[in-house]
Amino acid sequence: MGLPFLDSFSAAAGRGVWHADELGLADAQVVATGHAALDAQLPGGGWPVGAMTELLQAAPEAHVWRLLLPGLAQAVQARGGPVVLVGAPYEPCGASLAAQGLPVDSLMWVKSEAPAARLWACEQALRCADVAAVVAWLPQARVAELRRLQLAAAQHELMLFVCRPESVALSASPARLRLRAERCEADASQIELHILKRRGPPLAAPVMLPARNERMAALLAAARLRRKLRLQQQGTVLESETTHAAKVVRIDAWKGGSQDALDRLAVVA
């Protein structure tokens, strides 16, 4: 009996073949990032579950919460367990996180400066069935160590986010998804998100995301308007208010705890 003609099974075979010039389909569960522009560029349309996502930044605290908070809040609602923060550079600002959907009692902060202790804590958290997701700051992790974490995340089907310095962008990584986040030089109200690794073609231009969520942007806009009206009543309208040149907003509403709350500006943004 002759071999079957190729066209007789090409359609079926094609369903299991990923073409490098196409955005790949997710081979596991995903959680929407909460950013439509980013979801459109990710396989399956969200953060991969059971895999490591690597976030590279110049500063360890920059943009983390702005990017991850919506997805982490969804993970907590779905699984009911805590988000474990391993080696977070600053104390979490619970009030700001709670206001955006992530209750403070859903956070577990593991404090350690020793790289080996951070890796151990991260791996143990990934093995815990009650954990919703893990966010770890591992600036000194080696490829073999990251591979172990990737395997643990896959085995226990958890979201794992590893924050590392942008200086490692050219080094190898077992991460399923790899991103570099930085502030847009041309527009401080935007974040440039470069997708360094995904199952799909290279991204020609970065994904642009607002540096502040809609609620906080509305609050800041209202504060600027109140100040402008007050100055108008006083007969002194600052040029920066009319040209929208203001870049720094001081927020004095925080009354709790220590003065090193985790990425306070990014959290409220």
Side-chain angles (χ1 to χ4, degrees):
M1 180 170 53
L3 294 175
F5 189 66
L6 179 62
D7 285 347
S8 65
F9 59 86
S10 59
R15 288 194 293 268
V17 175
W18 166 61
H19 300 275
D21 59 346
E22 299 176 353
L23 185 63
L25 299 175
D27 53 7
Q29 180 185 355
V30 300
V31 172
T33 68
H35 311 287
L38 179 57
D39 286 342
Q41 300 299 333
L42 299 182
W47 300 122
V49 177
M52 180 171 67
T53 296
E54 194 173 1
L55 178 59
L56 309 183
Q57 303 178 108
E61 73 280 3
H63 313 307
V64 170
W65 292 111
R66 179 70 188 109
L67 291 173
L68 304 187
L69 184 54
L72 294 177
Q74 290 184 65
V76 169
Q77 292 176 2
R79 299 181 68 106
V83 172
V84 179
L85 310 176
V86 179
Y90 300 106
E91 180 182 350
C93 183
S96 296
L97 294 177
Q100 299 179 68
L102 187 61
V104 66
D105 58 0
S106 295
L107 294 176
M108 182 179 295
W109 184 21
V110 180
K111 298 176 62 176
S112 177
E113 295 298 328
R118 290 189 184 189
L119 288 166
W120 180 86
C122 186
E123 190 168 357
Q124 297 308 307
L126 290 171
R127 294 183 177 186
C128 180
D130 293 331
V131 169
V134 177
V135 183
W137 283 258
L138 305 174
Q140 299 171 323
R142 295 176 295 217
V143 174
E145 294 166 336
L146 294 175
R147 188 174 294 113
R148 284 184 58 182
L149 297 180
Q150 161 68 24
L151 292 174
Q155 182 178 358
H156 300 281
E157 298 183 346
L158 284 181
M159 285 198 303
L160 168 62
F161 299 94
V162 174
C163 302
R164 303 181 71 204
E166 63 180 6
S167 59
V168 302
L170 297 180
S171 62
S173 171
R176 177 81 58 82
L177 178 64
R178 209 173 191 211
L179 312 172
R180 186 178 80 243
E182 58 189 15
R183 182 178 178 180
C184 179
E185 294 294 336
D187 184 357
S189 68
Q190 298 287 312
I191 297 173
E192 288 187 2
L193 198 59
H194 302 263
I195 301 180
L196 306 180
K197 181 181 179 182
R198 65 172 180 172
R199 194 176 186 184
L203 199 61
V207 177
M208 305 300 293
L209 300 179
R212 301 184 179 97
N213 62 31
E214 294 181 0
R215 181 180 179 184
M216 183 52 60
L219 290 173
L220 295 177
R224 286 195 295 268
L225 179 59
R226 288 194 299 269
R227 183 170 181 233
K228 180 179 179 180
L229 293 174
R230 185 172 66 250
L231 293 174
Q232 285 177 335
Q233 292 173 354
Q234 298 171 354
T236 56
V237 179
L238 297 179
E239 180 182 356
S240 62
E241 293 293 332
T242 60
T243 60
H244 305 285
K247 299 298 184 183
V248 178
V249 177
R250 180 174 177 135
I251 300 175
D252 295 320
W254 172 258
K255 300 297 182 183
S258 64
Q259 297 183 357
D260 59 347
L262 172 59
D263 194 16
R264 193 167 303 156
L265 291 179
V267 169
V268 298

